Amino acid sequence: MAGIVYLRTNKFEVKLEGITFKAKDFETMCSMDFLFPDGKTWARPPVVGIDVMRHPRDPNNILMLLCFGVGCVILKFISGDVLPESIYRFLTDERIRFVGFGIPEKKDLFPLEELGLTKHKVDIGYLAAKILDDPKYKKYELAELARRVLRVKTMIGLTQSSSFERHEQIKCAICQLFITSAIAMALLGKSEKKKPVDASKKSSSFL
């Protein structure tokens, strides 16, 4: 599903890949605590983009997109089903910084708030408003946030024409989720610079 999409902006070009995972396979990864192998700690919490949408061809199925850098995991759930325990633990892991866009509009699609993924914690507009101390950012569209935070003025997604029509919505969502994650990392980087540095605490950075 989805495959590869090339995102081209006036600031950078990036190759993004959407990879469909069976829920059982992702359950196994979550059980292994894959973001923190061998108890590894990061200087900053790993940033993971999250989005949910109805399956373009089957409205009874919900797709969850999880952005890890240039890779995007795509999981399919039947609407109303209970989340597997290990995936639930992953989504509620306080060590991870989840970010998304349009979170308030998706509360009826997926129980994000029940997972603690509220708009105040996850929505990129609310994060920007808090870090930049300007409430207007809560209302900005993603393109405006990208322009103001990343100085990105143009965005074009390119893909193989044979697969674009079938997966257009999903590939657009992958691009938007990557931009959301990039905005979050830029904002968190700015916030980090404002804090005093403790030289005694050194660990690896995920960003």
Side-chain angles (χ1 to χ4, degrees):
M1 182 185 289
I4 293 172
V5 56
Y6 297 88
L7 177 63
R8 180 181 298 167
T9 77
N10 61 295
K11 300 290 286 186
F12 57 81
E13 293 185 25
V14 63
K15 176 183 175 182
L16 307 174
E17 186 172 6
I19 307 169
T20 303
F21 267 74
K22 292 181 179 178
K24 287 186 177 180
D25 293 336
F26 194 69
E27 282 182 64
T28 300
M29 291 177 61
C30 291
S31 298
M32 296 168 59
D33 209 13
F34 67 98
L35 284 182
F36 307 93
D38 301 319
K40 186 177 183 64
T41 59
W42 302 100
R44 302 168 186 164
V47 173
V48 176
I50 184 169
D51 194 12
V52 291
M53 60 186 292
R54 292 200 183 278
H55 194 292
R57 298 191 304 276
D58 186 353
N60 291 319
N61 286 327
I62 302 297
L63 297 180
M64 174 179 286
L65 282 67
L66 297 168
C67 178
F68 301 90
V70 296
C72 185
V73 169
I74 303 170
L75 302 171
K76 183 173 70 174
F77 301 101
I78 297 174
S79 182
D81 269 9
V82 177
L83 279 175
E85 180 63 27
S86 60
I87 294 180
Y88 176 88
R89 288 198 304 270
F90 172 78
L91 294 174
T92 55
D93 194 328
E94 294 287 341
R95 298 171 297 172
I96 303 171
R97 186 66 185 248
F98 289 99
V99 293
F101 178 75
I103 295 300
E105 290 77 37
K106 293 166 184 173
K107 62 182 181 180
D108 295 329
L109 195 60
F110 199 84
L112 294 170
E113 290 197 354
E114 294 177 24
L115 296 168
L117 303 176
T118 64
K119 62 186 179 183
H120 297 286
K121 285 186 177 181
V122 178
D123 192 89
I124 191 63
Y126 282 76
L127 179 64
K130 179 180 179 180
I131 291 177
L132 300 176
D133 195 24
D134 187 342
K136 293 196 296 292
Y137 279 82
K138 295 178 185 179
K139 299 180 180 180
Y140 287 152
E141 293 294 325
L142 186 61
E144 182 65 12
L145 289 170
R147 186 182 72 82
R148 290 176 176 268
V149 178
L150 301 177
R151 301 293 184 260
V152 166
K153 298 178 181 178
T154 59
M155 291 182 281
I156 301 173
L158 303 173
T159 187
Q160 295 178 347
S161 59
S162 60
S163 66
F164 181 71
E165 186 175 344
R166 285 181 295 146
H167 305 309
E168 177 180 1
Q169 288 177 265
I170 298 172
K171 290 192 173 184
C172 288
I174 290 172
C175 291
Q176 291 171 350
L177 194 53
F178 173 79
I179 289 293
T180 299
S181 300
I183 293 171
M185 287 188 281
L187 288 169
L188 293 169
K190 289 182 181 180
S191 177
E192 194 71 24
K193 289 178 181 178
K194 296 178 182 178
K195 297 178 180 178
V197 177
D198 185 349
S200 66
K201 295 181 179 180
K202 290 186 178 181
S203 53
S204 302
S205 173
F206 188 79
L207 304 184

